[in-house]
Amino acid sequence: LKQMKVLFSSNINPHFKTFSDYIKKAFKETGCNTCFFENRAFFLPGRIRDRLDLLQNWDLKRLNRKLLEKAEEFKPQIYVESGGWNILPDTIEKLKSMGIKTTLWTVDPPHTFKQITEAAPHYDFVFCQGTEAVEILKEYDVQNLHWLPFACDPDFHKPVELTISEQNKYATQICCVGSWTSDYEKRQAALECLTDYNLGIWGPGWNNLPVGSNLNKFVRNYHTKPEEWIKIYSATRIAVIIHYQDVKGHVPCYQASPKVFETLACETLLVVDDQKDVLSLFESGRHLVVYHNHKELKELIHHYLEHPDEARKIAQQGRRNVLDNHTFKHRVDEMLGIITKE
């Protein structure tokens, strides 16, 4: 793998770190010669492209031409696409004709999977963050289909020492870091059970809660960067994660969210809903704690606040587990091992 040339296509947010940064770093840690392609580098702003299909198609084709030019110049052995929304099937076929092994890593819950289902069969290898995507793509005759969940970056996701002012700013008994829209009914309902505690909520969209919601007074901030998340996790007693579910029940979502791995890496006790992939990866009561209904959630929160030593032991075991098994370096090693075996 030392000499492997990888063209990695994803989106880097200039304002804060995302999984793309961690994956890019992991490729370097494996010794790969990695070239990055920004797969959202459109010429026109989205608000203009959204108005006219003609402009959207022109800019999408332009972006795909840029990718092919980058591949001609860099001459990679492997192309890894994270996301898959903007890369056209014809582009994938052209990359393959250049002798490049093409790889897709789907990363989002499959709310609208149409473009992915059209493109995925053209890739040599497809990796999915969630097992729901594996189930969906099996129906589309996708070859070399693998489950590859997300992970943590131990250099970034770790417990941090807080100043007194940071302790005062972030300290909570229970925290939840995550967004809110009207689709997040499950998340809102679970948190509404925990308003008897010192609860802190961070994330985009919470400013749009209904005026009468009893959660409004617990919302701390609407925009938090990952640098702040690790302080929030380090300052709390218990972190709660409630996964997205399609309120209409049309599209399944089994995946373990990135925050599961990030929270555990911060050595924080994690209480999480009974998400299928989480239960496949971690043991409840040993690495984290899983709840099945609101009554059990409240009972577990009360128990672990009353038993801090027990909570600390689970948090320590959870951190050890993600460091040993669930870093982005582990994921990239696994991906490259599958690709190079062919």
Side-chain angles (χ1 to χ4, degrees):
L1 299 181
K2 292 290 182 189
Q3 306 304 315
M4 195 66 64
K5 292 181 80 173
V6 177
L7 177 55
F8 174 49
S9 167
S10 189
N11 169 241
I12 297 289
N13 189 311
H15 305 296
F16 55 84
K17 284 185 181 292
T18 68
F19 62 84
S20 300
D21 296 277
Y22 309 134
I23 296 169
K24 189 177 168 186
K25 175 172 170 272
F27 274 119
K28 287 184 180 171
E29 288 169 347
T30 62
C32 290
N33 180 2
T34 310
C35 178
F36 181 76
F37 179 77
E38 175 57 62
N39 65 12
R40 293 190 199 174
F42 289 103
F43 182 75
L44 298 170
R47 65 181 184 278
I48 295 174
R49 284 182 283 112
D50 289 345
R51 285 186 206 154
L52 271 176
D53 285 346
L54 186 71
L55 293 177
Q56 169 67 18
N57 291 336
W58 173 82
D59 215 356
L60 194 61
K61 285 177 181 174
R62 177 195 150 276
L63 180 75
N64 280 256
R65 280 199 306 274
K66 289 286 182 189
L67 172 59
L68 290 170
E69 287 169 12
K70 180 79 82 171
E72 286 278 7
E73 178 192 335
F74 182 62
K75 296 184 170 45
Q77 290 141 297
I78 298 172
Y79 169 70
V80 177
E81 166 62 26
S82 171
W85 303 98
N86 297 328
I87 307 307
L88 300 169
D90 185 51
T91 302
I92 303 157
E93 291 299 334
K94 284 176 181 168
L95 289 168
K96 286 160 72 173
S97 74
M98 294 159 66
I100 301 166
K101 290 186 176 181
T102 57
T103 306
L104 171 65
W105 192 357
T106 69
V107 293
D108 296 312
H111 318 300
T112 52
F113 232 44
K114 187 172 183 297
Q115 289 153 289
I116 304 296
T117 56
E118 288 172 358
H122 294 267
Y123 285 89
D124 295 311
F125 303 88
V126 177
F127 298 88
C128 303
Q129 182 196 338
T131 56
E132 76 286 328
V134 175
E135 284 184 7
I136 291 167
L137 293 177
K138 268 182 186 170
E139 303 296 316
Y140 290 85
D141 196 30
V142 175
Q143 304 302 307
N144 276 319
L145 189 56
H146 305 270
W147 177 35
L148 194 70
F150 263 24
C152 68
D153 181 336
D155 293 333
F156 185 81
H157 304 114
K158 57 188 176 183
V160 291
E161 289 289 328
L162 302 176
T163 64
I164 292 170
S165 64
E166 286 172 335
Q167 277 283 0
N168 292 335
K169 182 178 180 182
Y170 298 117
T172 55
Q173 287 179 300
I174 309 161
C175 80
C176 177
V177 180
S179 57
W180 182 88
T181 68
S182 56
D183 288 337
Y184 281 93
E185 288 177 5
K186 184 184 169 194
R187 183 172 292 172
Q188 182 180 339
L191 293 176
E192 282 171 348
C193 296
L194 304 176
T195 53
D196 291 341
Y197 298 97
N198 175 11
L199 170 65
I201 301 170
W202 284 263
W206 290 100
N207 50 318
N208 298 318
L209 272 172
V211 175
S213 171
N214 64 352
L215 290 180
N216 278 302
K217 62 185 175 184
F218 297 100
V219 178
R220 300 285 188 93
N221 204 344
Y222 310 127
H223 299 287
T224 53
K225 296 183 178 182
E227 292 83 357
E228 196 171 8
W229 300 348
I230 59 175
K231 292 177 183 178
I232 294 165
Y233 294 142
S234 295
T236 196
R237 298 275 302 279
I238 300 172
V240 176
I241 290 179
I242 308 108
H243 284 82
Y244 165 85
Q245 295 297 341
D246 177 12
V247 287
K248 294 174 183 170
H250 296 158
V251 182
C253 182
Y254 309 140
Q255 61 185 244
S257 86
K259 286 194 178 62
V260 168
F261 306 96
E262 295 164 2
T263 306
L264 292 174
C266 289
E267 206 169 287
T268 305
L269 177 67
L270 174 58
V271 175
V272 60
D273 53 353
D274 57 335
Q275 192 79 342
K276 181 181 169 186
D277 289 0
V278 174
L279 289 163
S280 297
L281 295 166
F282 303 103
E283 188 180 329
S284 183
R286 187 175 173 203
H287 307 122
L288 41 68
V289 179
V290 171
Y291 75 90
H292 301 86
N293 54 58
H294 293 164
K295 180 175 180 288
E296 187 181 16
L297 171 61
K298 291 173 77 171
E299 288 170 353
L300 289 167
I301 293 289
H302 178 76
H303 174 83
Y304 286 105
L305 288 174
E306 292 291 310
H307 297 84
D309 290 343
E310 196 178 335
R312 193 175 303 111
K313 183 181 177 185
I314 294 170
Q316 288 168 346
Q317 290 171 169
R319 174 168 162 78
R320 176 46 47 203
N321 185 288
V322 292
L323 295 187
D324 287 348
N325 303 293
H326 304 294
T327 69
F328 280 104
K329 170 90 166 39
H330 288 116
R331 300 297 186 249
V332 166
D333 280 339
E334 184 178 345
M335 177 188 285
L336 293 174
I338 289 168
I339 295 168
T340 54
K341 219 188 290 181
E342 289 288 315

